[in-house]
Amino acid sequence: IRGAWHDADCAGARVNIEFKSDNKKLLAHLKELKEKVAPAAEAKALNSTANYIVRGAVKIAATKTGVQAAILRKRIAVPRGKKASARTLKTVVFGGLWEVKVMKINPTPRKLASGRVKYRVIPGEALDPNAFMGNNKAGAMSVFRRKGTGRLPIENVRADIGPHVRRAIEGYGGGQESQSYYKQRLFKEMDRAISGNLRRYGIRVR
């Protein structure tokens, strides 16, 4: 807004101050908010929420399956190139549903005095009474079972953790907690971005 003084009469009985709106800066600011600032803030909020969902899903899946969090963090993640951007307001949380060796599930499998192997069973699966422990090709201990009636071939005993990984992502990602987290992050990112943009246009922000 610009102001200008104008004398109303020579006697000085009255003075008028004329104000004219100079909204070029404001219009430029609003345009940039719509085209650049808001999308960038949304992208940051989406990526932050995706990471939040990953952390929560890993924790849930680890509790349900006994699989180490370090392993699940490789299974549940945001793939490279799938993060949100100002141009693409979408992100993806990937869940690897393939089986995992029971040797990597807590508590660690152990051999009983009877010769049988005790290992954690995922709900819905049965303990294999013919499982045995031995060293794999790399020299590490594993739990095996025979594929047929002969001594060979053998295979690693694996657990199907896929359903638990899927439920952890879907349940945590679609829950009210994640929705609230996204809104909170979006408001913070928008506030930070708008304040910074206003300062660039010379508008003071407290």
Side-chain angles (χ1 to χ4, degrees):
I1 298 175
R2 292 179 299 181
W5 293 85
H6 296 280
D7 291 334
D9 52 54
C10 294
R14 187 178 64 216
V15 174
N16 292 335
I17 304 176
E18 183 181 289
F19 289 94
K20 293 183 179 180
S21 176
D22 181 12
N23 61 356
K24 290 182 180 179
K25 285 186 177 181
L26 177 60
L27 291 176
H29 169 63
L30 292 176
K31 182 180 180 182
E32 191 166 351
L33 279 181
K34 179 181 178 182
E35 296 178 356
K36 297 180 180 180
V37 177
E42 287 183 73
K44 287 183 179 181
L46 281 171
N47 290 329
S48 179
T49 304
N51 291 330
Y52 178 77
I53 292 171
V54 167
R55 293 193 298 270
V58 166
K59 186 176 180 179
I60 292 172
T63 300
K64 294 291 185 181
T65 65
V67 177
Q68 300 171 26
I71 296 173
L72 288 170
R73 278 193 286 269
K74 297 178 181 178
R75 300 281 192 99
I76 305 173
V78 177
R80 290 183 179 180
K82 295 298 182 179
K83 290 186 176 181
S85 66
R87 291 185 177 182
T88 307
L89 293 175
K90 182 177 69 174
T91 185
V92 175
V93 176
F94 171 81
L97 305 181
W98 55 89
E99 297 176 338
V100 64
K101 297 176 182 178
V102 296
M103 199 66 199
K104 295 184 177 181
I105 299 178
N106 293 322
T108 303
R110 60 190 180 88
K111 188 175 182 180
L112 303 177
S114 62
R116 292 188 175 185
V117 177
K118 183 178 181 180
Y119 58 89
R120 177 160 178 170
V121 177
I122 303 299
E125 296 184 1
L127 188 71
D128 189 337
N130 298 316
F132 63 95
M133 298 182 71
N135 293 329
N136 57 25
K137 293 180 179 180
M141 187 65 68
S142 290
V143 178
F144 299 100
R145 64 182 164 211
R146 293 180 172 82
K147 289 186 175 182
T149 57
R151 185 170 177 271
L152 295 173
I154 61 175
E155 64 181 354
N156 272 287
V157 178
R158 299 174 182 270
D160 182 13
I161 67 169
H164 296 282
V165 170
R166 181 186 290 109
R167 283 195 291 271
I169 295 174
E170 292 176 349
Y172 205 78
Q176 185 61 41
E177 190 173 347
S178 295
Q179 296 294 327
S180 298
Y181 180 88
Y182 171 73
K183 292 179 182 178
Q184 183 183 26
R185 290 305 309 174
L186 179 59
F187 290 146
K188 286 185 178 180
E189 294 296 343
M190 286 292 289
D191 181 63
R192 184 182 294 112
I194 291 172
S195 297
N197 205 55
L198 286 171
R199 292 190 186 95
R200 288 203 308 109
Y201 282 94
I203 302 174
R204 296 180 63 185
V205 180
R206 294 184 66 182

